[in-house]
Amino acid sequence: MSDIDVLELLGLAQATATEAAALAADMRSGGVQVQKTKSNDLDIVTQADTAVEALIRKRLATARPADGVLGEEGGEADGTSGITWVIDPIDGTVNYLYGSPSYAVSIAATTKAANGRYVSLAGCVHAPVLGTEYTSAAGQAARRNGQELHVNEGVPLHQALVSTGIPYDLEARAQVLADFASLAPRIRDLRLVGSAALDVCGVAEGRTDAHVGRRLPIWDYAAAALIATQAGSVVRGARGGPPSLELLLAADTHLADALEPLITDGGIKE
Ligand code: IPD
Ligand code: CA
Ligand code: CA
């Protein structure tokens, strides 16, 4: 797996996400219905989630047949190249259902570390209705529509604008409410967008100062975490570890250090 060309991977991620995002937007204009539910009744899948992931898998398999794929809707298929594509066909499906513009296709090219964790090499988050494409690759700048991105640095806790998300899991919602209660008196304000990928990209571009994510699987952030990291954010989990179901915390390092003691206590365990 030597000589990985991360820019080639990024180009494929961009081209595929552009086409996939156009399909999602096109399907939305024809109306949308819930096709099925997953972990519980709140965790919905629309026909577009399925169709968009199928398109992405087809394009990636044609371009790079030896790569593996992990997609939210279609599961994991091993490859032989050492590259695994991690896909969320529509991040923000509930927004999509309601006609909100805050949804995005997320595609990341990753490699697996010895400990089994996915390490992102290139990623693209494309929100067709917002008209925004976020990109980055290992060693490269983070960009929105080609413009370089930087996180907000040196923001004190009391001036921090912090986004979070609402998990489908009801037990995890209790943790988010605890986060709200702990954070609200100490920060500038909280934001709920409804797309973890766009939330993490929001930190990258300074639209918010930090994101606190709970119960996020890898496809929610494989692309966005790379984009935020390359924009100068730390993206980490609880107790200095990597992001996990328990916690994903993205912010400039000083703000992350200030936020972490307020939010990790009693967190969701893997
Ligand atoms: C969801 C969104 C949401 C987050 C949920 C995710 P989906 O992804 O990212 O913001 O709070 O935890 O599951 O289901 O729309 O792909
Ligand atoms: Ca998602
Ligand atoms: Ca999704």
Side-chain angles (χ1 to χ4, degrees):
M1 210 193 49
S2 57
D3 298 331
I4 298 170
D5 184 344
V6 295
L7 293 180
E8 183 198 322
L9 296 173
L10 177 58
L12 179 58
Q14 282 181 271
T16 308
T18 300
E19 191 182 357
L23 175 63
D26 188 50
M27 288 186 77
R28 183 66 187 74
S29 64
V32 59
Q33 282 187 340
V34 175
Q35 189 182 27
K36 59 181 181 180
T37 58
K38 289 189 286 189
S39 57
N40 62 26
D41 285 352
L42 305 173
D43 189 0
I44 58 165
V45 181
T46 70
Q47 281 171 344
D49 292 278
T50 311
V52 171
E53 183 162 323
L55 174 71
I56 295 169
R57 284 176 178 264
K58 194 171 160 190
R59 293 292 182 261
L60 295 176
T62 302
R64 296 184 53 95
D67 292 354
V69 183
L70 169 64
E72 179 176 10
E73 312 304 341
E76 184 155 21
D78 288 337
T80 54
S81 67
I83 301 293
T84 299
W85 294 89
V86 180
I87 302 163
D88 192 338
I90 298 180
D91 185 54
T93 292
V94 174
N95 286 345
Y96 182 81
L97 180 69
Y98 279 75
S100 160
S102 296
Y103 70 87
V105 173
S106 175
I107 301 178
T110 74
T111 184
K112 264 190 191 170
N115 61 9
R117 292 200 169 268
Y118 295 95
V119 178
S120 296
L121 301 172
C124 179
V125 173
H126 190 127
V129 184
L130 298 173
T132 46
E133 180 208 54
Y134 301 92
T135 55
S136 195
Q140 303 292 316
R143 297 182 187 278
R144 180 192 60 229
N145 298 347
Q147 295 273 43
E148 212 169 304
L149 303 178
H150 297 282
V151 295
N152 296 334
E153 289 178 345
V155 177
L157 181 65
H158 71 278
Q159 285 177 4
L161 183 61
V162 181
S163 65
T164 188
I166 307 294
Y168 300 117
D169 177 72
L170 297 182
E171 194 185 323
R173 286 185 174 187
Q175 180 62 51
V176 172
L177 290 179
D179 293 338
F180 265 80
S182 173
L183 291 172
R186 296 176 171 88
I187 61 173
R188 184 193 295 275
D189 208 344
L190 282 153
R191 287 291 178 271
L192 280 174
V193 168
S195 160
L198 290 175
D199 281 332
V200 175
C201 289
V203 176
E205 67 178 335
R207 174 161 45 84
T208 57
D209 299 307
H211 180 69
V212 176
R214 299 286 191 181
R215 269 279 188 271
L216 297 179
I218 182 73
W219 49 75
D220 281 330
Y221 61 85
L226 174 64
I227 292 161
T229 302
Q230 296 305 107
S233 175
V234 297
V235 181
R236 67 192 196 205
R239 297 169 291 280
S244 67
L245 292 178
E246 180 180 358
L247 176 68
L248 178 148
L249 174 58
D252 147 67
T253 185
H254 300 293
L255 181 58
D257 288 346
L259 284 166
E260 190 167 349
L262 302 177
I263 54 174
T264 53
D265 218 9
I268 304 149
K269 298 293 179 281
E270 297 276 306

